[in-house]
Amino acid sequence: MTRTHWFAVRKELPHRSRLWLGVMSFLLPLAIWSLVSYVPFVWHPKMEIIDPGDVSYFRPGMLVDRKVFAKESAALQNTGGALPQGKRANPIYLPAPHAVAKAFFTAFTTPPKRRNEPWLHESLWQSIQVIFWGFFLSSLIGVPLGILAGTYDVFSRLFEPFIEFFRYLPAPAFGALAVAILGIHDAPKIAIIFIGTFFQQVLVISNTTRQLDPALLEAAMTLGAKRFSLLFKVVIPGVIQQLYRDQRILLGWAWTYLIVAELIGSSSGITWFITQQARYKNFDNVYAAIMMIGIIGITTDLLLARLGRRIFPWQRQPAQV
Amino acid sequence: MTQLQLPSYLDQPPAVKDRFTRLKQRPVILKVDALGKQFDTPQGPTTALQDIHFQTHRREFLCVIGPSGCGKSTLIRILAGLETYSSGQVLLDGQAVNGPGSDRGMVFQGYTLFPWLTVKKNVMFGLERAGKGRTAAEEVAREWINLVGLEKFEDSYPHQLSGGMKQRVAIARALATQPRILLMDEPFGALDAQTRARMQAYLLEIWKNIDITIVFITHDLDEAIYLADRILVLKAHPGEVQELIEVPVPQPRTVEQFLSPEFLATKKRLETLIHPNRDTHENVGEQLHMVRMVPLDDSVSSIF
């Protein structure tokens, strides 16, 4: 057999197939979305009124249920009035792909409704800052603590039981408390992201630190390494590459706390934009904003992965996601 | 088959005998006295090692051999200070061994090179821990890398090296800090036969030229005889010294000696010590409950 079978168990496919499948993984959902949006007989539960006819409350452009439309049409047929005209449409909360694609640009070019409100790029920048500070502060304490707990049993026994308990407390539950303590601006939001990330972070980092091959520590000891040189010259360099990978995953988790965090106190950032646009029923903008979060997330991750390959030249295999 | 007439492994040629007399007059480097080690297991306390006595002299090559479970790995880990012992004592140059230290270099079966350091930095590791400056450490490291013939790879990372090369780096790394004794725990066990033979030759060459005493654990009888001045044979459950054999094969060793009468006699002795009731061909067949599964009229009905 010269090439890998498509369904070979745990065998890597050739490079071209992998690339192709990667593209497909994005194209498939897009295709389903397009199918539902552009093929009129797939789903389309509403009727968009083109000509109201003699139905008193129909207006052009209005969306009504197909059932209602049929009922009114049937009633008019009996009385002999002018029939309403309409075409099948999807609910307003499912815009078509092209509308969302357009919103990607118009959302940035449309000025805010009121002068004191931020533009979209300003909202996004605020969100990124909240994430950054939440994650940065969490890492500042969580990473060293995790490394200590993974290296010394005394720290592990002292910290981990409490952290293990605390990580089950949902971060949003601290919202009201955070506002009471830290005010209504960015500080409580950063605190929520901190709480959501920190406790997982300590446990993940300590677990990774514990994965270090103990034989390396033994080898180092027979070479004369003691206490602190064991920590700084063996443990940390030995696990740093895996810690970097953990941090990438944890950063992804931090993003998932963003929306909740931004709803706390005065709504802000991209969440403010999303709720605002949903209120005006600009669902194309809502989808565009949600996707922007995804795009920012995956772009940072890909950049960090690439950076990781540069910093850690000794790694055995290409960075795993 | 005619039985090959072998001399006794105790018969030493005069040159060998003379060499052992001189060897035993050299200063004692390592002295192990009434060493014992008990483990606590869920089934109760187990004795891993019991009343181990032996000593090695300066620049001696000692092999430790024994069946699996005889505690030979535990023994070398105790010597390295990586494991505690329950009774007796271990003296290095008359000083009790207490914890790991750079006076006892160790080479492990699993290479244990630091994957994040280049070959050169790996060799520099121990030197820097000993307080040598960067440039001084680099210079010494280079010498050792040259000595094991890896100067072209000094900036490579361990994952770019073959198993044999990795183990050469590990040996250079362990020797760079100039330990009194080199402990080797089945260092060539993971290598293929050819690489292993080459590594044995390398090691003998290094040993000849450097002031180093070697304690080498192996389960390969040929390896033990080829390398060792003396072989410490352990037996299992509990781990005890069975015999300390003085290898009657003259030094310096060559590959041709594998078929010499002294070599074969020593091997025969080791065989009887380590596999006292070896499975004979007949009872293997019985143990497996073999039945003929090839039809008698098959086109290849017999392999003979």
Side-chain angles (χ1 to χ4, degrees), chain A residues 248-267:
Chain A
R248 274 171 52 206
I249 293 168
L250 286 159
L251 182 59
W253 291 2
W255 274 97
T256 63
Y257 281 100
L258 178 71
I259 300 295
V260 186
E262 285 185 334
L263 283 174
I264 283 163
S266 61
S267 173

Side-chain angles (χ1 to χ4, degrees), chain A residues 139-161 163 198 201-212 217 227-232 234-237 239 243:
Chain A
S139 302
L140 200 64
I141 311 173
V143 172
L145 209 57
I147 292 174
L148 284 178
T151 309
Y152 303 107
D153 206 30
V154 53
F155 290 112
S156 164
R157 304 287 166 194
L158 184 63
F159 296 135
E160 284 188 24
I163 288 172
F198 176 77
Q201 192 170 31
V202 175
L203 295 181
V204 167
I205 299 286
S206 71
N207 247 333
T208 301
T209 309
R210 248 171 248 136
Q211 306 287 311
L212 180 72
L217 289 171
R227 294 165 181 281
F228 291 114
S229 59
L230 273 182
L231 177 63
F232 288 106
V234 186
V235 175
I236 293 176
V239 296
L243 294 191

Side-chain angles (χ1 to χ4, degrees), chain B residues 42-286:
Chain B
Q43 288 82 38
T46 334
T47 306
L49 293 173
Q50 184 172 298
D51 199 27
I52 306 280
H53 283 276
F54 71 92
Q55 58 185 29
T56 58
H57 299 268
R58 191 164 154 208
R59 298 191 68 182
E60 178 180 356
F61 200 130
L62 179 81
C63 275
V64 181
I65 201 165
S68 56
C70 70
K72 51 189 191 287
S73 255
T74 310
L75 174 65
I76 203 160
R77 289 173 56 81
I78 288 174
L79 300 184
L82 295 171
E83 235 165 271
T84 57
Y85 47 94
S86 318
S87 55
Q89 55 182 349
V90 178
L91 300 173
L92 184 78
D93 287 325
Q95 302 283 314
V97 160
N98 185 18
S102 57
D103 51 353
R104 282 147 294 139
M106 178 127 170
V107 176
F108 301 80
Q109 183 178 358
Y111 314 126
T112 66
L113 296 183
F114 304 122
W116 60 91
L117 296 178
T118 59
V119 166
K120 189 171 72 191
K121 296 246 171 79
N122 259 286
V123 178
M124 283 164 67
F125 186 92
L127 297 163
E128 288 184 323
R129 297 290 83 68
K132 264 206 165 58
R134 204 186 174 77
T135 35
E138 206 169 323
E139 209 168 295
V140 178
R142 278 233 177 77
E143 278 170 28
W144 283 99
I145 292 167
N146 274 336
L147 200 117
V148 293
L150 288 174
E151 57 278 4
K152 280 193 198 125
F153 296 92
E154 63 172 40
D155 291 320
S156 303
Y157 286 98
H159 75 269
Q160 296 165 310
L161 305 180
S162 69
M165 283 150 83
K166 280 185 212 174
Q167 212 53 303
R168 270 144 74 191
V169 178
I171 292 170
R173 185 179 68 172
L175 289 174
T177 49
Q178 298 192 305
R180 296 293 288 151
I181 190 165
L182 183 64
L183 307 168
M184 306 183 87
D185 187 2
E186 300 202 29
F188 309 147
L191 303 177
D192 63 83
Q194 278 178 327
T195 315
R196 173 183 265 237
R198 218 170 39 233
M199 290 299 294
Q200 290 164 351
Y202 276 131
L203 183 62
L204 285 181
E205 209 46 45
I206 291 172
W207 172 60
K208 264 182 239 165
N209 292 296
I210 291 169
D211 174 10
I212 190 75
T213 310
I214 299 180
V215 175
F216 186 107
I217 289 195
T218 177
H219 59 254
D220 180 333
L221 308 183
D222 289 318
E223 185 170 66
I225 304 165
Y226 178 50
L227 295 177
D229 285 317
R230 296 191 294 171
I231 301 174
L232 184 74
V233 186
L234 300 183
K235 70 179 182 62
H237 313 295
E240 279 179 312
V241 177
Q242 203 165 11
E243 192 174 348
L244 184 60
I245 293 178
E246 297 178 351
V247 180
V249 184
Q251 295 267 17
R253 299 280 160 73
T254 60
V255 184
E256 288 75 50
Q257 289 169 323
F258 273 84
L259 292 173
S260 71
E262 295 95 351
F263 197 103
L264 294 175
T266 316
K267 187 166 178 185
K268 194 171 157 209
R269 175 61 183 167
L270 288 175
E271 292 267 15
T272 51
L273 286 174
I274 291 168
H275 315 285
N277 29 21
R278 218 173 193 195
D279 293 333
T280 57
H281 185 256
E282 294 80 49
N283 69 25
V284 164
E286 272 166 40

Side-chain angles (χ1 to χ4, degrees), chain A residues 126-127 130 171-172 174-176 178-179 183-186 188-190 192-193 255-276 278-279 293:
Chain A
Q126 198 187 2
S127 292
V130 166
F174 292 88
V179 170
I184 58 166
H185 295 294
D186 281 354
K189 304 171 204 299
I190 292 171
I192 294 305
I193 289 174
W255 274 97
T256 63
Y257 281 100
L258 178 71
I259 300 295
V260 186
E262 285 185 334
L263 283 174
I264 283 163
S266 61
S267 173
S268 71
I270 191 73
T271 312
W272 174 84
F273 180 82
I274 288 173
T275 44
Q276 200 76 351
R279 198 170 296 154
I293 299 180

